[in-house]
Amino acid sequence: DETKEASLNITTNELNNLNISVTGVPNATISLNESISLPLKRNRRLLDPDYVPIGPMYWDAKAFHRSYMEMEKQFKVFVYREGEPPVFHDGPCKSIYSMEGNFIYQMDVNTKFRTNDPEKAHVFYLPFSVAKMVQFVYLRDSRDFGPIRRTVIDYVNVVSEKYPYWNRSLGTDHFMLACHDWGPEASFSNPYLGKNSIRALCNANTSEKFNPVKDVSIPEMNLRTGKLTGLIGGPSASRRPILAFFAGGVHGPIRPILLEHWEGKDDEIKVHKYLPKGINYYEMMRSSKYCLCPSGYEVASPRIVEALYNGCVPVLISKSYVPPFSDVLRWKSFSVVVSVEDIPRLKEILMKISSRQYIRMQRRVLQVRRHFEFHSPPKRFDVFHMILHSIWLRRLNVRVSDGNDLNDDRPLKHRRRKWYWSDLDRLERGLQRARAAIKETMNGSRLKDPDYSPDGPIYWNAKVFH
């Protein structure tokens, strides 16, 4: 009976022997190496391990949780169905561009966030695939980007002529998703798509006009089999003998510098252009404390997610890169950022990180990697939901008008309508409540107090103790 509290009798026979008997419960004993969970009154939120993500990995965990709950409660996406392949992706993808195909596939099969009524939609998804257009529209080695550009232009024109929603907001409440290197270039085919719309991009490069206020940085993932089987795991922090590891193709301006200074130069920093025969790439990651993630021709790299999967602290070496989900995650708490100029000092920088700090960072890697895991069907807080959450936050940043009150800046509740509230007004009223709730949570967040919630393996049950 979880509504009653049983009394506990605790005796110690030896130094390392703890016996606990529960009055009224025959043969109930708990050994020292088992976690102790005291009977509590039912509290679904407390018993749910996903209730409030906590820790220094988040900018404001309570605000993140509140906005996530608001998203689950009301967020709706309308997916345009105009166009024929190769505009659409044909299903789950198994490559470094996998997020394009996997996201559109999940939007197809998962109806939780999708609506068939555009009047009830908060955002509108333009589901064209840059990777597919490169495969079927682009003439290989032609260096002619025109066919892709015309395909995007035609697609947006069809949508704007058939529906009123694009013209109503000039694309502000529309979003595209692209993991291909040419995603940013494709978005500039239509000036409003590049300037106004929400762009969810793997290639989140501020030097290529990526705008963190409006755009979403998503992870580049290389799902070779389409599943996570065998990709996640690794030993504890104390069983990783290699200081740092990198192996990969030489392209872009950064990797040649890394190879020049460290390839074959140090036994503790394993840097390879090509892995020697018989050595497994993922086993090397699992044997390393830090995994070097230098940019190639583009800023994003699947090594970042691979490092998280294998419990290896990522070392980001790039220019102008906005890491995935930076609006929520404090990357400096579980990764190392090294400038290109400091590549010669790489070992010095890593050696200055104390063992205690490294262990903290490695544990945080294990905690945040669930946000980068792909599941089918999706699970709470996984990469699919995190992408939608970031899009949801961008939608909260703007207010779309139906054209009747463009010059009225007063809150919706103070505006007087003679006849009715439009569907768009109802949507905006809901968003206004969500903005207010999230702002209130941010202002009153006790997580700013470092003593708010004790956490860590030193407690049997931190939530019960708190």
Side-chain angles (χ1 to χ4, degrees):
D1 185 357
E2 293 185 349
T3 62
K4 297 180 180 179
E5 296 185 0
S7 61
L8 301 178
N9 296 322
I10 305 176
T11 60
T12 56
N13 298 330
E14 298 177 4
L15 182 62
N16 295 320
N17 189 16
L18 178 67
N19 294 326
I20 302 176
S21 62
V22 185
T23 304
V25 183
N27 302 323
T29 61
I30 303 175
S31 64
L32 187 62
N33 62 350
E34 293 176 340
S35 61
I36 300 175
S37 181
L38 299 177
L40 298 171
K41 293 184 179 181
R42 286 190 183 274
N43 187 330
R44 293 178 59 189
R45 297 184 297 180
L46 190 62
L47 298 176
D48 181 4
D50 289 333
Y51 171 47
V52 179
I54 58 176
M57 307 84 68
Y58 304 96
W59 290 110
D60 191 325
K62 290 193 75 174
F64 165 50
H65 177 257
R66 184 60 183 261
S67 61
Y68 188 94
M69 294 298 106
E70 291 289 341
M71 177 197 73
E72 284 196 332
K73 181 171 66 176
Q74 59 172 307
F75 193 38
K76 291 299 179 183
V77 180
F78 180 78
V79 182
Y80 288 114
R81 293 302 182 195
E82 279 57 44
E84 299 291 337
V87 172
F88 289 127
H89 219 290
D90 54 4
C93 180
K94 304 172 185 178
S95 72
I96 61 173
Y97 311 129
S98 61
M99 280 313 305
E100 287 190 17
N102 289 326
F103 184 84
I104 191 171
Y105 175 75
Q106 292 301 332
M107 288 302 303
D108 279 338
V109 300
N110 190 307
T111 59
K112 179 177 181 179
F113 296 101
R114 198 180 76 236
T115 178
N116 294 324
D117 184 356
E119 294 294 337
K120 297 180 179 179
H122 296 94
V123 295
F124 300 81
Y125 178 31
L126 304 165
F128 55 78
S129 167
V130 178
K132 283 294 181 181
M133 286 190 280
V134 172
Q135 183 179 356
F136 292 106
V137 175
Y138 174 71
L139 184 60
R140 188 178 180 85
D141 298 326
S142 69
R143 300 182 181 275
D144 181 10
F145 198 77
I148 295 178
R149 186 176 292 108
R150 287 192 293 273
T151 302
V152 175
I153 292 172
D154 290 343
Y155 186 78
V156 174
N157 286 342
V158 169
V159 165
S160 63
E161 291 172 2
K162 184 174 181 179
Y163 299 91
Y165 310 105
W166 174 271
N167 294 325
R168 178 183 69 184
S169 67
L170 294 179
T172 303
D173 55 353
H174 288 59
F175 78 94
M176 59 167 283
L177 184 144
C179 220
H180 196 277
D181 298 345
W182 294 351
E185 183 68 25
S187 70
F188 296 129
S189 302
N190 181 291
Y192 295 121
L193 178 62
K195 182 179 178 180
N196 295 345
S197 298
I198 302 167
R199 301 179 301 159
L201 303 173
C202 288
N203 187 26
N205 190 343
T206 56
S207 67
E208 296 181 2
K209 299 182 180 181
F210 180 88
N211 182 359
V213 175
K214 176 184 71 71
D215 300 324
V216 175
S217 176
I218 64 175
E220 187 170 304
M221 302 168 60
N222 190 6
L223 297 178
R224 298 177 183 274
T225 64
K227 298 180 180 179
L228 295 179
T229 306
L231 296 181
I232 296 181
S236 63
S238 61
R239 295 167 55 199
R240 294 174 176 264
I242 302 173
L243 178 62
F245 166 70
F246 168 78
V250 182
H251 58 83
I254 297 177
R255 295 182 188 181
I257 301 175
L258 179 66
L259 290 165
E260 177 186 353
H261 283 88
W262 295 107
E263 185 178 23
K265 302 290 180 63
D266 195 293
D267 291 336
E268 293 185 281
I269 297 183
K270 306 289 187 180
V271 174
H272 303 275
K273 185 185 302 182
Y274 303 105
L275 268 180
K277 290 184 179 180
I279 297 181
N280 183 275
Y281 177 79
Y282 295 109
E283 285 302 320
M284 288 293 291
M285 277 194 159
R286 294 182 181 186
S287 300
S288 303
K289 292 180 172 65
Y290 300 95
C291 289
L292 308 181
C293 306
S295 296
Y297 285 121
E298 304 298 339
V299 292
S301 170
R303 284 172 182 78
I304 298 174
V305 174
E306 290 170 346
L308 297 176
Y309 282 179
N310 290 282
C312 186
V313 176
V315 179
L316 309 184
I317 309 175
S318 61
K319 290 183 177 180
S320 309
Y321 180 48
V322 179
F325 313 133
S326 294
D327 45 5
V328 170
L329 300 178
R330 291 182 67 246
W331 275 83
K332 287 189 176 181
S333 71
F334 60 91
S335 69
V336 180
V337 179
V338 175
S339 66
V340 177
E341 293 75 17
D342 285 334
I343 288 178
R345 299 179 52 246
L346 185 59
K347 185 174 182 179
E348 176 188 348
I349 293 171
L350 297 181
M351 292 296 290
K352 282 185 177 179
I353 300 174
S354 67
S355 297
R356 178 178 295 182
Q357 179 62 15
Y358 161 69
I359 291 173
R360 289 196 193 103
M361 296 171 70
Q362 202 264 348
R363 287 176 177 169
R364 293 165 187 169
V365 164
L366 304 184
Q367 290 177 275
V368 301
R369 71 182 177 190
R370 65 174 175 173
H371 298 314
F372 298 85
E373 294 176 5
F374 172 79
H375 299 283
S376 186
K379 296 181 180 180
R380 293 186 71 200
F381 294 105
D382 70 358
V383 66
F384 175 76
H385 287 87
M386 289 294 288
I387 292 173
L388 284 178
H389 175 260
S390 290
I391 294 170
W392 162 250
L393 290 181
R394 271 57 178 189
R395 178 62 179 88
L396 285 173
N397 283 340
V398 299
R399 188 180 69 82
V400 179
S401 171
D402 60 4
N404 293 327
D405 52 0
L406 288 174
N407 298 318
D408 194 341
D409 293 328
R410 292 176 299 167
L412 288 170
K413 63 181 180 180
H414 296 311
R415 298 180 201 168
R416 306 185 68 179
R417 289 299 185 100
K418 293 183 178 180
W419 303 108
Y420 64 92
W421 287 98
S422 70
D423 291 327
L424 181 59
D425 282 335
R426 293 189 182 94
L427 285 178
E428 288 296 334
R429 291 182 75 187
L431 293 177
Q432 190 178 62
R433 287 191 293 269
R435 294 185 196 106
I438 295 168
K439 185 176 181 180
E440 180 181 359
T441 302
M442 292 176 65
N443 292 337
S445 176
R446 292 180 294 168
L447 284 179
K448 295 176 182 178
D449 179 0
D451 295 328
Y452 167 55
S453 181
D455 185 32
I458 59 244
Y459 303 97
W460 287 110
N461 192 324
K463 285 186 176 181
V464 171
F465 167 61
H466 177 256

